[in-house]
């Protein structure tokens, strides 16, 4: 057994909306901002995909 847990999967950073941020370091805050920015991009891409699909469907019934 190793003294270091380098081979263990790292716990993925998560963010809970409204959580206390006062105990986080600058690096942890930066990581959370990156995480949330990626999630915003993912949400916007899905919204765009669904809007295009909806517009196509509405076009069929005009």
């Amino acid at each position: 057994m190793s003294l270091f847990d380098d081979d263990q999967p790292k716990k993925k950073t998560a963010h809970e909306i409204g959580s206390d941020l006062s105990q986080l370091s600058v690096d942890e805050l930066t990581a959370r901002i990156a995480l949330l920015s990626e999630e915003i991009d993912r949400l916007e891409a899905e919204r765009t995909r669904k809007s295009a699909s909806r517009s196509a469907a509405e076009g069929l019934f005009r």
Side-chain angles (χ1 to χ4, degrees), residues 31-56:
R32 292 215 184 171
I33 289 168
L35 176 73
L36 292 170
S37 293
E38 290 172 9
E39 183 64 6
I40 289 168
D41 292 343
R42 190 177 77 89
L43 289 165
E44 288 176 341
E46 183 65 14
R47 179 178 61 185
T48 299
R49 187 188 69 76
K50 287 188 177 199
S51 292
S53 177
R54 182 178 183 175
S55 294

Side-chain angles (χ1 to χ4, degrees), residues 4-14 31 35:
F4 302 102
D5 291 330
D6 292 338
D7 58 341
Q8 296 294 321
K10 292 185 178 183
K11 184 178 179 184
K12 188 171 183 174
T13 303
L35 176 73

